[in-house]
């Protein structure tokens, strides 16, 4: 026990090294390395097609990388050495269970109420007692300010509310890290704020997060570290104030300029 | 879900295991050999259902019962249409045919035939007053209506006629009266019975079909010589003690069991009944056929077919080339061949390779495979219509393949699939009427039986249609309710 604690203390929560992924001839990730310490927020920035989503989906093993090592806490998978068939799926499943994913298009289960959406993973996949899962889910729904909507169906909610249910559903799994892929880009502008506020709260509460976003102001406020991706590699990484406030790379500067004052 | 699965397995067990065991047990338990008798049940006055009691009776029935008494057999009657009666004998679904089997060389070489129990002669029947048809010679180039495999069909063909296949004499007479065919060649007794019992003057006997007497016998399989011997001993005894003569007089006022027993007189008929009386007495047996056969057959085949369809659909979308290839081939074969043919393959074909099922089971197998072929494409399309994000969201919260299917994908696919699957169910309900050709006494078969006896085609078939229609309306209403239920979680 002491052993693990000590190791955890010196080891980052999320460890990615040498990550490569191709779709056919299209080499999308060309060696991604980064780490994220427990309780920090990492923001991925970069132009469209640079591979941000692919990195995030690799962490959750919705995409299987061709090469590279991903470690989250005690689970580490070397994808170059991933055994085929059942053993490989088992290893992938263990790694996937370490993270929770919030999708751009919430992907809530339309035939389940808000509460049922949130407890599905804990009860059915993690086999936790239902009463306990319901109690936890209610706390989480309070946290995302939807305490009174547990019995509603997703279609009865606004886009911002739906996205907040998506966040609660991811948190309910008690993941080691929460992954957000452009959580606000499908929302009407007036709904963006409420979702970002919730994510900010999470970061402040000590959740470890990895966030893909185009909201630079939000990134500046919430990120402990910023990774700037382009063409499948990390062009620049560092504290948000440094990467956003004083980027060293030409490509980063051009990107930020374009995003911050378009036109 | 596990409960549903267990239910399906249980159903399968009941269908596939239980009936065959019951059949085996009944044959084993009694000391007497069970002899299964194939007969039309639609060929008065030889084999038909009494309109009042619905009991099977007639000259051939009473004769074979008398023979069984003598020979110590226990009889089981299996009602079969004429054109499938010899295949049924070949497939060992029945052991003997008691249905005025006329002797000819081909049958003598292929089957074990008993001594003659009926002597009659053929007649040519024409539309009343049609002078173009007098003797067999006039049939050259004309069209007659016959059971296609009957001896009379052979006689008509030999005379140069085109033979239209029909299912019994009553149907043939109807075609002749309607002018769709020119003549019928048949046994004089059957024709006399028809004329007397229907009071019809649309058709009449033109004359004898040839000079030779026609001899009718019981037909067994060639290798069942023990049964043939027992039957012959019994026939000799029954002729000697006057039993056969007695049965014959009761039906024909003449002894047809000997070559020169006088000419049959059926002028009293079996009593003509009005349409309403026929309908009233048939409504109940049709309802029984509906409730005891048509509906269980439909529901069972649909449930099993749907389960199979899911398996086939999953195989079809699986990444395994072999699985998806097999599924594709299955779907293609089922959709590319007639249902009737599939039914015949299961019922008449498979016994030839040792796979013999009781009629109900055979029908369930054929119908559920058919449903599976059609529903698989529906299920596949419905699964593919569920957004990819749903599969990913399920994966990300830790659900595996089968949990994702059961809890996330199928409930959503159901919404898309219910309307087309309801169509499949409605088609299936109506298609079960084909069960009538594989010895199932379902709703439609009941109406056929009654129509053959009473000649009330229009009224009886319309009435049977009414039953089907009512059930279809009920099913459609259930579909609406189910759709509303499934729509409760989408904005409308
Ligand atoms: N399933 C896939 N099959 C084939 N190519 C893919 C697939 N997913 C992504 N790609 C390609 O990989 C590249 C990187 O895609 P990715 O979605 O990671 O970029 P992104 O940085 O998230 O972009 P955006 O800001 O537009 O979301 C793109 O060229 C994309 O077309
Ligand atoms: Mg993206």
């Amino acid at each position: 026990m002491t052993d693990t604690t000590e190791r955890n203390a010196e080891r980052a929560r999320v460890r990615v090294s040498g990550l490569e992924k191709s779709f056919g001839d299209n080499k999308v990730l060309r060696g991604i390395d980064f780490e994220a310490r427990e309780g920090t927020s990492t923001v991925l920035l970069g132009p469209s097609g640079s591979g941000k989503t692919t990195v995030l989906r690799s962490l959750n093993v919705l995409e299987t990388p061709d090469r590279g090592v991903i470690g989250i806490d005690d689970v580490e998978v070397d994808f170059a050495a991933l055994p085929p068939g059942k053993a490989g799926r088992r290893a992938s499943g263990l790694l996937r269970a370490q993270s929770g994913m919030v999708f751009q298009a919430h992907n809530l289960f339309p035939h389940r109420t808000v509460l049922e959406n949130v407890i599905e993973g804990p009860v059915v996949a993690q086999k936790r007692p239902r009463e306990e899962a319901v109690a936890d889910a209610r706390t989480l729904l309070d946290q995302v300010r939807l305490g009174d909507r547990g019995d509603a169906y997703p279609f009865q909610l606004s886009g911002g509310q739906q996205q907040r249910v998506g966040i609660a559903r991811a948190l309910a799994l008690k993941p080691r890290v929460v992954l957000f892929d452009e959580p606000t880009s499908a929302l009407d502008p007036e709904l963006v704020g409420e979702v970002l506020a919730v994510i900010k709260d999470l970061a402040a509460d000590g959740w470890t997060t990895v966030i893909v976003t185009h909201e630079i102001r939000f990134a500046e406020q919430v990120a402990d570290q910023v990774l700037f991706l382009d063409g499948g590699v990390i062009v620049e990484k560092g504290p948000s104030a440094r990467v956003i406030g004083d980027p060293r790379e030409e490509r980063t500067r051009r990107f930020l300029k374009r995003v911050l004052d378009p036109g | 879900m596990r409960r549903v699965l267990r239910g399906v397995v249980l159903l399968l067990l009941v269908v596939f295991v239980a009936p065959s065991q019951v059949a085996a047990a009944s044959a084993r338990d009694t000391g007497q050999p069970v002899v299964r008798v194939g007969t039309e049940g639609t060929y008065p006055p030889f084999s038909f259902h009494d309109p009042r009691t619905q009991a099977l009776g007639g000259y051939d029935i009473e004769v074979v019962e008398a023979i069984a008494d003598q020979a110590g057999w226990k009889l089981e009657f299996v009602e079969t249409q004429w054109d499938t009666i010899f295949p049924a004998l070949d497939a060992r679904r029945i052991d003997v045919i008691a249905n005025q089997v006329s002797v000819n060389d081909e049958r003598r070489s292929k089957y074990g035939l008993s001594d003659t129990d009926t002597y009659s002669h053929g007649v040519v029947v024409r539309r009343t007053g049609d002078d173009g048809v007098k003797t067999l010679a006039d049939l050259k180039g004309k069209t007659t209506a016959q059971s296609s495999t009957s001896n009379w069909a052979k006689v008509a063909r030999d005379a140069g006629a085109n033979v239209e296949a029909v299912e019994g004499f009553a149907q043939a007479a109807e075609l002749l009266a309607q002018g769709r065919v020119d003549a019928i060649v048949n046994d004089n007794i059957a024709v006399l019975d028809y004329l007397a019992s229907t009071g019809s003057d649309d058709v009449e006997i033109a004359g004898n079909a040839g000079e030779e007497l026609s001899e009718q016998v019981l037909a067994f399989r060639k290798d069942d010589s023990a049964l043939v011997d027992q039957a012959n001993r019994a026939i000799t005894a029954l002729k000697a003690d006057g039993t056969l003569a007695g049965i014959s007089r009761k039906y024909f006022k003449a002894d047809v069991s000997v070559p020169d027993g006088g000419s049959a007189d059926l002028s009293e008929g079996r009593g003509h009944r009005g349409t309403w009386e026929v309908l009233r007495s048939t409504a109940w047996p049709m309802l029984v056929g509906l409730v005891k056969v048509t509906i269980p057959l439909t529901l069972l085949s649909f449930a099993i077919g749907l389960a199979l369809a899911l398996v086939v659909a999953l195989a079809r979308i699986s990444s395994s080339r072999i699985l998806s290839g097999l599924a594709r081939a299955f779907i293609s074969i089922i959709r590319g061949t007639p249902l009737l043919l599939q039914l015949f393959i299961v019922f008449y074909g498979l016994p030839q390779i040792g796979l013999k099922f009781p009629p109900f089971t055979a029908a369930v197998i054929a119908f559920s495979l058919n449903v599976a072929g059609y529903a698989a494409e529906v299920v596949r399309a419905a699964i593919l219509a569920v957004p990819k994000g749903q599969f990913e969201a399920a994966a990300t919260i830790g659900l595996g393949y089968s949990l994702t299917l059961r809890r996330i994908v199928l409930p959503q696919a159901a919404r898309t699939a219910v309307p087309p699957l309801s169509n499949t169910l409605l088609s299936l309900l109506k298609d079960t009427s084909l069960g009538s050709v594989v010895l199932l006494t379902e709703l439609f078969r009941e109406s056929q039986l009654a129509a053959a006896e009473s000649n009330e085609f229009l009224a009886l078939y319309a009435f049977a249609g009414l039953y089907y229609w009512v059930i279809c309306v009920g099913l459609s209403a259930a579909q609406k309710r189910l759709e509303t239920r499934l729509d409760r979680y989408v904005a409308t």
Side-chain angles (χ1 to χ4, degrees):
Chain A
M1 193 61 215
T2 349
D3 233 27
T4 356
T5 331
E6 266 172 27
R7 246 191 323 176
N8 282 349
E10 67 202 36
R11 197 177 55 174
R13 166 77 44 109
V14 179
R15 306 172 303 279
V16 176
S17 68
L19 204 60
E20 294 179 27
K21 173 75 184 174
S22 300
F23 293 106
D25 291 339
N26 184 7
K27 200 143 203 250
V28 174
L29 300 183
R30 302 163 177 267
I32 300 284
D33 307 272
F34 73 91
E35 294 194 336
R37 305 204 69 85
E38 181 180 346
T40 63
S41 290
T42 301
V43 168
L44 271 63
L45 296 179
S48 181
S50 58
K52 307 179 296 291
T53 296
T54 308
V55 169
L56 218 55
R57 287 168 62 85
S58 297
L59 288 172
N60 197 235
V61 211
L62 288 173
E63 238 39 281
T64 309
D66 303 328
R67 257 176 300 282
V69 179
I70 296 177
I72 301 177
D73 248 21
D74 294 339
V75 179
E76 196 160 280
V77 174
D78 179 354
F79 285 94
L82 192 68
K86 221 173 184 155
R89 280 201 298 276
R90 213 183 101 77
S92 301
L94 284 175
L95 179 59
R96 176 179 290 156
Q98 298 288 87
S99 59
M101 182 92 175
V102 177
F103 299 90
Q104 180 176 346
H106 65 78
N107 291 347
L108 294 179
F109 306 129
H111 59 304
R112 295 288 166 81
T113 63
V114 165
L115 187 71
E116 287 167 347
N117 263 277
V118 177
I119 64 170
E120 181 74 14
V123 173
V124 179
Q126 299 180 337
K127 307 263 186 283
R128 281 164 50 193
R130 194 185 164 85
E131 305 76 63
E132 184 193 311
V134 169
D136 283 2
R138 295 212 184 279
T139 312
L140 283 171
L141 286 175
D142 280 340
Q143 218 172 320
V144 299
R145 294 158 213 167
L146 286 171
D148 53 341
R149 303 309 306 272
D151 295 326
Y153 281 97
F155 81 90
Q156 296 166 317
L157 304 180
S158 73
Q161 292 173 323
Q162 289 169 339
Q163 196 53 289
R164 285 184 277 148
V165 178
I167 293 171
R169 182 174 69 178
L171 298 181
L173 302 164
K174 302 192 175 170
R176 299 300 156 133
V177 51
V178 191
L179 313 172
F180 296 86
D181 188 7
E182 301 196 36
T184 59
S185 59
L187 298 180
D188 293 339
E190 72 271 22
L191 301 175
V192 168
E194 61 188 61
V195 174
L196 293 184
V198 164
I199 300 175
K200 250 185 255 174
D201 286 354
L202 297 181
D205 283 353
W207 288 90
T208 310
T209 59
V210 178
I211 306 164
V212 173
T213 183
H214 288 298
E215 303 282 340
I216 303 298
R217 289 298 155 229
F218 164 74
E220 238 176 342
Q221 293 164 23
V222 77
D224 296 293
Q225 82 173 322
V226 170
L227 313 179
F228 177 74
L229 262 77
D230 196 2
V233 293
I234 296 177
V235 174
E236 186 162 4
K237 72 178 144 190
S240 67
R242 226 258 306 119
V243 177
I244 297 173
D246 179 23
R248 287 180 194 158
E249 296 292 328
E250 177 56 27
R251 279 193 276 178
T252 317
R253 243 176 269 150
R254 266 207 314 263
F255 169 77
L256 289 172
K257 188 164 179 306
R258 207 172 55 233
V259 182
L260 286 174
D261 47 355
Chain B
M1 193 60 201
R2 190 160 298 167
R3 237 177 306 140
V4 174
L5 249 149
R6 215 178 313 155
V8 170
V9 170
L10 212 72
L11 280 181
L12 283 167
L13 278 178
V14 168
V15 176
F16 293 110
V17 182
S20 53
Q21 279 182 353
V22 169
S26 71
R28 232 183 290 119
D29 290 349
T30 65
Q32 298 168 304
V34 174
V35 174
R36 291 161 305 172
V37 183
T39 190
E40 279 182 287
T42 55
Y43 191 39
F46 304 108
S47 167
F48 66 101
H49 286 261
D50 182 290
R52 272 158 261 270
T53 64
Q54 297 305 322
L56 181 65
Y59 175 77
D60 283 38
I61 304 302
E62 289 196 30
V63 167
V64 78
E65 278 171 346
I67 292 173
D69 268 354
Q70 280 281 325
W73 301 340
K74 197 166 143 30
L75 293 186
E76 226 170 64
F77 287 98
V78 179
E79 290 180 45
T80 312
Q81 283 167 14
W82 175 261
D83 287 336
T84 55
I85 214 164
F86 281 101
L89 183 64
D90 296 336
R92 298 184 175 271
R93 294 192 176 282
I94 57 176
D95 304 305
V96 57
I97 303 172
N99 205 84
Q100 292 289 302
V101 174
S102 299
V103 176
N104 62 29
D105 292 342
E106 188 197 331
R107 285 179 187 158
R108 197 176 282 298
S109 68
K110 194 159 175 222
Y111 297 99
L113 303 183
S114 74
D115 294 342
T116 304
D117 61 35
T118 315
Y119 292 87
S120 62
H121 58 87
V123 290
V124 177
V125 183
R126 67 182 181 199
R127 230 176 348 273
T128 304
D130 179 2
D131 285 339
V133 179
K134 283 183 181 130
T135 65
L136 271 185
D138 299 328
L139 297 186
K140 195 170 176 60
K142 295 222 162 54
T143 306
T144 69
Q146 320 283 154
S147 290
S148 67
T149 54
S150 76
N151 193 51
W152 301 119
K154 191 170 168 326
V155 171
R157 271 192 210 100
D158 290 348
N162 298 318
V163 170
E164 282 286 349
V166 293
E167 248 164 47
F169 185 76
Q171 240 184 44
E174 194 61 28
L175 290 183
L176 180 58
Q178 291 169 7
R180 295 180 201 252
V181 298
D182 305 308
I184 305 168
V185 181
N186 210 315
D187 181 278
N188 66 325
I189 299 174
V191 177
L192 288 173
D193 175 82
Y194 173 83
L195 293 175
S197 62
T198 61
S200 162
D201 51 11
D202 295 333
V203 301
E204 64 182 7
I205 291 176
N208 282 359
E211 295 311 312
E212 282 172 50
L213 274 186
S214 162
E215 298 177 28
Q216 275 75 241
V217 297
L218 298 179
F220 299 85
R221 274 181 300 277
K222 195 94 193 165
D223 56 9
D224 269 349
S225 53
L227 285 183
V228 180
D229 291 344
Q230 290 165 19
N232 286 343
R233 272 198 298 279
I235 289 173
T236 309
L238 294 170
K239 279 183 177 168
D241 70 6
T243 308
L244 283 193
I247 297 173
S248 177
R249 289 223 170 72
K250 168 175 163 195
Y251 283 96
F252 316 124
K253 300 202 181 69
D255 184 3
V256 300
S257 67
V258 292
D260 45 5
S263 50
D265 171 11
L266 293 98
S267 56
E268 274 178 25
R270 282 175 283 112
H272 187 67
R273 296 179 303 151
T275 307
W276 282 114
E277 203 187 328
V278 171
L279 278 186
R280 248 200 316 277
S281 63
T282 319
W284 176 250
M286 282 206 262
L287 187 63
V288 172
L290 175 68
V291 172
K292 285 179 81 169
V293 183
T294 301
I295 289 177
L297 179 60
T298 304
L299 295 182
L300 203 55
S301 303
F302 192 68
I304 297 172
L306 216 49
L308 284 174
L310 179 60
V311 174
V312 174
L314 292 178
R316 177 90 165 74
I317 47 187
S318 91
S319 51
S320 153
R321 283 242 186 114
I322 299 174
L323 282 183
S324 77
L326 283 175
R328 206 188 295 247
F330 171 78
I331 293 168
S332 167
I333 289 170
I334 292 291
R335 305 218 301 184
T337 57
L339 172 55
L340 185 59
L341 178 142
Q342 293 161 15
L343 199 57
F344 272 37
I345 284 186
V346 173
F347 192 72
Y348 295 107
L350 293 187
Q352 299 196 322
I353 55 166
L355 284 171
K356 197 166 111 187
F357 306 100
F360 189 79
T361 313
V364 168
I365 292 173
F367 285 125
S368 40
L369 287 176
N370 190 265
V371 166
Y374 282 90
E377 289 292 81
V378 172
V379 173
R380 181 179 78 104
I383 289 177
L384 293 181
V386 175
K388 189 162 157 267
Q390 291 291 309
F391 290 84
E392 293 190 340
T396 202
I397 63 164
L399 301 184
Y401 178 76
S402 70
L403 281 173
T404 300
L405 267 183
R406 275 154 49 184
R407 300 190 55 88
I408 308 300
V409 176
L410 292 183
Q412 296 182 57
R415 261 194 76 228
T416 334
V418 162
L421 286 181
S422 302
N423 283 339
T424 309
L425 177 60
L426 291 189
S427 301
L428 174 64
L429 172 75
K430 291 169 285 182
D431 288 344
T432 57
S433 58
L434 292 174
S436 62
V437 298
V438 295
L439 316 188
L440 277 183
T441 310
E442 41 66 71
L443 167 57
F444 178 60
R445 176 72 178 158
E446 290 288 2
S447 68
Q448 282 184 306
L449 290 173
E453 194 279 328
S454 66
N455 241 25
E456 295 287 355
F457 293 100
L458 179 60
L460 283 166
Y461 291 155
F463 199 74
L466 188 67
Y467 273 124
Y468 283 112
W469 179 75
V470 166
I471 301 295
C472 281
V473 169
L475 286 175
S476 298
Q479 172 194 350
K480 285 272 140 43
R481 291 187 51 166
L482 185 58
E483 278 176 29
T484 316
R485 237 181 85 84
L486 289 172
D487 276 350
R488 74 191 182 286
Y489 55 80
V490 286
T492 40

